Each structure stands twice: as C-alpha cells, then as structure tokens.
Amino acid sequence: MFSSFMTNAWLSGTVVALLAGAVGFFVVVRGASFAAHAIPNGAFAGAAGAYLVGVNPLVGLVSFALLSAFGIGVTSRRVRNDVATALALVAMLALGAAFLSASLIYEPTINALLFGEILGVSSAQLWPVLVLGVASVLALGWLYRPLVFTSVAPELARARGVNATVVDVAFLTVVALVTALTVPVVGALLTFSLMIGPPAASRILFARPGSAIAGSVGLSLATIWVSIAASYTFNLPIGFFVGAIGAFLYLSARLLVRRVPSTP
Amino acid sequence: MTDRTHETTQPLLEVRDASVSVNGRDIVRDVNFSINHGEFTGLIGSNGAGKTTLFRVILGLQDHASGKVLVHGEPISRANRSIGYVPQKVLFDPDLPIRARDLVALGADGQRYGLRRRTRALHDAVDEMLDAVDARAFADRRVGGLSGGEQQRVLIAHALISRPELLLLDEPLANLDPGSVEEIIALLHRVSQQQRVAILLSAHEMNPLLPVMDRVIYVANGHVASGTTDEVVRPSVLSALYGHHVDVLRVHGRVLVVATALPIGPTPNDAHPEFVVE
Amino acid sequence: MSWLFEPGWWANGTVRTALLVGFVVALVSAIVGVFAVLRGQSFAGHALTDVATAGGAGAFLFGLAPLAGFIGGGVIGAGAMDAIGVQRVKGRDIATGVVLGAAMGLAALFLFLAARGSSATGTTQLILFGSIFTVGSSTLVQVAWLSAGVLAALAVIARPLLLSSLSPELAVARGVRVRAVSLVFMVLLAVAVGMSAIVIGAILSTALLIGPPASALRVATRFVAGVALAATLGVLATWLGVLFAYDSYYWFPSHRALPVSFFVVVVVLVEYVIASLARRRGAAPSSPALEPEGWT
C-alpha cells in the first residue's frame, strides 16, 4: 500500500487529518457539530453542480461550502442556530438533488463523493489542496485567540469588543475550506465525523487546550492512517472506517474517564 | 440547635437529625427544623451554604444520608402533591407560543398523561390564580416576552394552582430592585394568608423578610439553626454556627450580622450582645 | 386553472397514492416536528433521518422490508443517542454526531456491498433521495397505521412532554419522569422520520420535520394553533411539491422531471420567509441573545 500511486492518498489524507483535527477541536468546543455536518453536505451539492456545468469539482466544493458556511453564520444572528442550520442544510441538499437528477453522473462518482475514495485526490489537485491547506492553517492561527475567547467566555469577549459575528463567520469559513479539502478523500457524509469523533475524544482525555488540540490532531491522523490502510487492504469504502473509528475513540474515551471536564 | 415547636398539631414538614452529602462531601449535618401550616419561613444563608441542597432534599430529589424528613408524618417521596416549587429563573424562548395562562394551566395538569379538553373549572381556577398574583394584565402574553418580575409571578401561580400546602421558592429576591422585593414579599404574604399555604423561601439577606417571617432557618458552615428571629439571630447562636465571633447590630429595625476574624473565645455575652441604634 | 395541472394529473393513480402518502407523512412530521423544534433537537431529528438511511441500506443488503429497515435503524439510533447523551446541550450534540458518524459509515459499507452484489443502478440515489412516486399501496397502508400509532402515543405524553420541554425543573417538581418521556419522544421521532425518509428521502425529510414547525412557531400565538398551522403548512408543501414535480416533466424538452424533494424544500423555505416577515410586522423581533447556549 505504499507504492507510488498511493502517495497522493497518504499525502492528502495526512493534510486533511491535520486540518480536520485542529478545526474539529473548535467545532466541538463551540457546539457547532450540526454546522460541521451541514457544510459538507452543501459542498456535495456544489460538486454535483460542478459536474453538471462541466467545471472542476473542487471549485464546486469550495464555493458551495463557503456559501453554506456564510448562510449559516449570517442567519444564525436572527434565528435559532439549529433551525437556521437545518434550513440551510436542506436548501443545499435540495439543490444537490436537482443537480443530480438534471445531469447524468456516473454512480460510482456519486458514491465516491458521498462516502470517500482514497484515490480521490489526483496529482493535479494536490497542489491546490496543499495551498488551501496552508491558507486554512494560517487563518486558524490568526483567529486562534479571539476564537478561544469567544468559545470559552462569550460574554466577556463581547464586553472586550470582540465582534462575535465576524469571528463566527470567519471560523465557519475555515470549516468550509477544510471541508472542501476533506470531502474528496473521506466523502461528504463522513467528513464531519473526522471533525467530531477524534476531537471529542481528545477533549475528554485532555484538560488543557494545547494538549487537547494536539491530541485532536494526533487522533485524527491515527484515524485517517488506519482508515486508508484498512480501505486499501479490505477494499471497502474509507468512510466506513472513519465513522467506525471515530465512534470507537469517543466511546473509549468516555469509558476511560468517568467524569467529563467542564471546560477545556 | 434549638427548635421550639409551639403547635400541638403535627407540623407540615419535619426534618430531624438529617445529614446530606453530595459526591462524598458533607453539605449539612444534624439538621433539625419544622414548618407548620401557614407559616412563613426564611431559609437564610450565603451561596454554597447548602440552601439549594436542602430544597432538593425536601423535594425528594436528593438523598439524605441519615435522619428523617417527614411530610405530614410520612417520609418524603418525589413530587409530593403537598409541596410546590418555584425555581429561581427559567429561560423561555421568546418565540414560544405559550401564554402565561397556558403555563399556569400546566401547573394543574402538566404531569398528566393523555389528552383531555380543558374544563370550565380549570379555566376559572387559572383566572383565580392569575388574580391572586396580579398577573391578569399579561395573562395572554407569551411567557418568553415577560419581564423577570412578571415571569416570577406566573411561576408562583403555576405552583399554586395545584393547591400545595407548602411552597418552596428558590432565591426569589435575587436580582430584584428594592421596590420589587417589597412587592413580591407582600404578595407572598397575602397569598400565604388567603390560601393557607406555608412558605419557605431562600435568600441571602433576611432584612426584607423581617416584617413577615414567622421563623428563620439559618444555614452556615454546614449547620443549621432554626426558630424565631429573636431566638436565632443572636451572637451566641450565630457565633456557634459560624465558628467565628459574630456580632449582631440592629439599626433602625434592621439586622446586621457582622463577623470578625477573631476565633471563638469565651461565649459572647447575650446580656449586652447588641449595639442598638434607634 | 388548467395551466397549473398538466395533462393526466387528475386521472393518475400513482399521483393519488403519492398525495395520500404525502399527506400522512407531512402531517406526522409536522406534529412531531413542533416538539423537536421546541426542544432544540433539529440536529437529532436530521441525524435520525440519516441513521434511518443506514437502516434502509442494511435492509436492502439483507433483503428485508425497506420500511422495517428505515424504522428499525432509526429506533436503534435513537436509543444509542439517548444512552450516550449527556444532559448539557453541547454534549447532546456530540452524542448525536458520533452516532450519526457511525451510522453513515455503516451506510457506506452496506451500499458498497449492495452495489457489488447486484446490478441495480441508482440504488444510492434511491435510498438517499427517495421517490414518492414509487410508493406502493401496501406501503401506504403500513405508513397510515404507523402514523396513527405515533400520533396516539404522542397524545398520551403530550402534556408531560410539553412541560419538560419548557422547563425540566418545573417538570421534575411536578413528578414528570423527564428522562423516560425524553426517550419515548426520541423513539417516536425515529419512527416518524423513518417513515418520511422512505417517502421523500432520508436526507430531505428533515425539511418537513423542521421547516413547517419553525414557520408555524414564528407566527402562532397559541400552542395548539401552532401545531395545526404546522400540519397545514407541511401538507401544503408536500402537495405542491408533488404537483410541481409532476408538471416539471413537461417543462423541459428533455422530459427530465425534477425531484419532488427539490420542490418541497423550495415551498418550505418560501413558507418560512413569509412567516418570518409576518412575524416582523406583527410583533417585536425576538432577540437572539436569549439563546442559552449559542455558538458565540
């Protein structure tokens, strides 16, 4: 499984796990699990649209992911979070359904988009993936302090003049970018699992933010590596292993540590 | 600690030698007090003293490690029909299509299974309760849109409609301006007399309650002292409770309990215990 | 009005079945959905539709009745969420996410194995997006009975459920078994979304579960009126969706009809926008700052 044609898979998988692990920590702390699930589904619709129009799917993924993130972030101001997210999700999926039925996409392609394909990132796409990946890491680094502040003590942050909406939308934008990169590898329906399972497990195991983020990234990497290896060995979809391992990590952490720490 | 029952009839609520620990930590020990029908009692103590724990024990939500807690002579159970409860604050979504009067009606039948049409009798009872708490004016507004004080009155009506004999209120005076504090105490006193409901309310500060309180239960340092204000609010009693030397000052009819850092030495003299300022 | 109804609409038996099934499913989804929205359980409601997908995929793989798969999967998922969930809202969402992730992984496995085993194409699409036009009359009967059961059970727990949704503290003080009632509701939710998933698709049944109730709650002043309005809006959206999907066959020279789910979602969103505008006119807009645990 370490032959040259798998290099892309290992590379893109590693990049994706690094990002998903880091971003996922904040997703878990901010209670944004629903958004983390909704945005990849929006991305999926974008990919379907891209196929319909005949454009590079990565463009569709990124644009619709950003659109979803923006939609959720902005409407959450006026309406309850979970209702806003549900409506945005449903709108994106309806579009995706329309695109799918209007075009004739090969079924394995749809399955790959939904459930992941370890060879989903070609050499040509590797460069844009790396560039967007670096951009996401930089954005996350720049946002780190206001992000932690608004996640842990929102009232205090607001009193200090931190614009919660801007931070929220910026954060969701980073989530969108990471999502767009992760979908080709892990699939639209399992992307969020990489952003929730390992980080949630890490949060239970580690009390300090620094160690929790490191743990989150570490567990995500472990998840993706095992998933790629297993997918290659058993010739089964990678999404299956990501979902299963994510759940396993979280449940193990819960069983190991009886009391959940209240704040990271 | 002392507790003087002067009624010959059975007390409504009796707590005898009770101790409560949570997660291995002792919260309160050797608790003794009674509440009689129609009495107005204040449960006074600072944050973390154990007031909420005591409430939870009375409501049957918290086990007590030892002793007895009896209502009408029987051990308490969960959700005793004789005891009503008004929590400190409930967050209602302003969009909830539940009116004040709907919430009060749920106080009568919210726990019942099955659907049944609301009878005329229930409508009348709801109106009666709303009048008793002066909430008729906003009865048809969404609960989520009411002010804190208005919501509190609705919560009181919600608890009263099932005709409890004892009403527990968790820190109802916190976060209220002095005018509202007076209003709510007057309301509770009136309700207590009209409906023969005993009131047990917890607070940090006993002064607003002095005009209406029949008895006080003072919680500090894991122990409890109960009796009338005169019996309990004395240097000897409170110092023993706190384990600190405590002075009691009365200023224009108000009581100030002042602790010093001195450890308890010879028993403070009750003969001249107070500085009185007329 | 003949421009609205393309040829053959009224005579078409498939259409009639679709309307009937749609009516039942929309009604149940809306009523159950009102409680789901009240309890802030939109994510759980949506997650259960996806979990139902895994069940449906499994049923397909093992040759079981599809309805059993959707509903069985949903109920197991609901049980799992309840078992590992914690009381805090954020903890609850993580439990939902983890169960959903595991279920989606299973769905991936089942669909992959099923596609390998048979030559049927479009399986994935069918399971995920459903097709109201292929529902048979036997399924209709099953759905009708199940719906009656769900509504009856909901009627039994309606008041304790409402009280515990408004305030668990008040409910506990009145002797309501809050955890038991929550679990029963989750199971009812799973059954309701399982049924609707088979009709308009696992993923898009969220639209009927959340949209009409959210719209109704913005406008209604009384609870019962809100439930009735939600049901009306849901049925309306479904019927219009069926109608437009049928008509769309004739709109394009290529004769490719757009899916029902697409039109239903459009109507649901339009309803929501109208409801929000009406709310803004009628009363002061609600303050988002009152959200007890938001993202910021």
Side-chain angles (χ1 to χ4, degrees), chain A residues 28-35 37 41 44 72-73 76-91 93-105 107 110-111 114-115 150-151 154-155 158 164-165 167-168 172 189-190 192-193 196-197 200 203 234-237 239-244 246-248 250-251 254 260-262, chain C residues 36-44 46-47 50 83-86 88 90-109 111-113 115-116 120-125 128-129 203-208 210-211 214 217-218 256-259 261-263 265-266 268-269 272 276 280 286-289 291 293-296:
Chain A
V28 165
V29 165
R30 292 169 78 81
S33 308
F34 197 8
H37 173 71
N41 283 301
F44 167 79
I72 295 173
S76 289
R77 301 285 97 220
R78 320 175 124 259
V79 169
R80 279 180 23 189
N81 287 331
D82 60 339
V83 170
T85 309
L87 292 176
L89 167 64
V90 146
L93 286 175
L95 274 177
F99 292 153
L100 277 180
S101 77
S103 65
L104 297 140
I105 306 180
E107 179 164 359
I110 300 180
N111 277 349
L114 290 172
F115 299 115
T150 51
S151 310
E155 264 80 46
R158 220 173 316 182
T165 314
V167 171
D168 200 35
L172 288 177
L189 295 181
L190 271 314
F192 86 102
S193 180
I196 296 194
R203 184 165 159 258
F234 298 106
N235 199 16
L236 290 174
F240 166 66
F241 296 105
V242 171
F248 170 75
Y250 175 72
L251 290 173
R254 280 286 297 273
V260 181
S262 51
Chain C
V37 170
L38 266 185
R39 295 163 70 78
Q41 289 186 298
S42 306
F43 186 22
H46 168 74
D50 287 347
I84 71 178
V86 269
R88 285 180 356 245
K90 283 184 190 172
R92 206 177 61 184
D93 275 359
I94 291 176
T96 305
V98 165
V99 172
L100 179 56
M104 286 289 92
L106 278 176
L109 183 64
L111 285 171
F112 178 79
L113 293 174
R116 261 218 307 224
T121 55
T123 319
T124 312
Q125 281 218 67
L128 288 175
F129 297 112
I203 296 175
L204 296 174
S205 68
T206 306
L208 281 185
I210 308 291
L217 286 177
R218 288 191 76 74
R256 290 191 67 93
L258 288 175
S261 27
F262 172 74
F263 291 109
V265 169
V266 167
V268 161
L269 290 174
Y272 187 76
S276 300
R280 213 103 66 81
S286 56
S287 156
E291 172 91 52
E293 286 188 343
W295 293 340
T296 52

Side-chain angles (χ1 to χ4, degrees), chain C residues 148-174:
Chain C
V150 167
L151 289 179
L154 195 58
V156 168
I157 63 167
R159 274 180 302 193
L161 183 63
L162 178 60
L163 188 55
S164 50
S165 310
L166 292 178
S167 162
E169 257 187 309
L170 289 179
V172 164
R174 299 224 75 79

